[in-house]
């Protein structure tokens, strides 16, 4: 004999409780909020580091992480917007470097 999820809920519920109260309660969505906050902070940090190194990789990554955190309703939208702006700034710095030096690396010496 196999029991389905609804059969288990019905058999574990007290006889006096209606079937609607015996249904399992979904877990709170705290993990999604923490994940969105983590994405916002990570996008900010990656965008900031991307201004100095690895513009081509870290800029788009910061943009994607910022957009994901905003889509998941982060409690830190300011950091997500900063991460988005820094990711765009990374790509702008990369475009300037390619235009001026013809390379994707910093060249501070003449």
């Amino acid at each position: 004999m196999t029991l389905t999820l609804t059969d288990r809920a019905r058999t574990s519920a007290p006889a006096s409780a209606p079937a609607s109260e015996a249904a399992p309660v979904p877990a709170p969505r705290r993990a999604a909020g923490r994940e969105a906050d983590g994405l916002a902070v990570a996008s900010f940090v990656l965008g900031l580091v991307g201004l100095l190194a690895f513009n081509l990789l870290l800029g788009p990554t910061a943009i994607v992480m910022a957009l994901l955190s905003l889509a998941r309703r982060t409690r830190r939208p300011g950091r997500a917007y900063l991460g988005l702006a820094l990711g765009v700034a990374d790509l702008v710095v990369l475009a300037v470097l390619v235009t001026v030096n013809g390379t994707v690396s910093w060249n501070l010496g003449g």
Side-chain angles (χ1 to χ4, degrees):
M1 176 179 155
T2 59
L3 295 173
T4 63
L5 183 60
T6 56
D7 291 338
R8 288 183 192 150
R10 286 185 190 144
T11 57
S12 64
S16 62
S20 64
E21 290 180 4
V25 178
R29 302 209 20 121
R30 275 188 179 166
R34 285 186 192 159
E35 182 180 318
D37 292 346
L39 283 171
V41 172
S43 71
F44 173 72
V45 170
L46 289 178
L48 198 58
V49 172
L51 286 174
L52 300 174
F54 301 114
N55 311 52
L56 186 61
L57 178 67
L58 296 181
T61 305
I63 292 170
V64 169
M65 291 177 109
L67 292 175
L68 282 174
S69 68
L70 289 171
R72 293 180 184 180
R73 308 271 182 189
T74 181
R75 291 179 293 176
R76 300 176 182 203
R79 289 201 180 137
Y81 286 123
L82 280 174
L84 183 63
L86 287 171
V88 171
D90 290 347
L91 296 178
V92 169
V93 166
L94 178 67
V96 168
L97 285 174
V98 169
T99 303
V100 172
N101 294 337
T103 182
V104 292
S105 63
W106 292 94
N107 186 7
L108 299 177

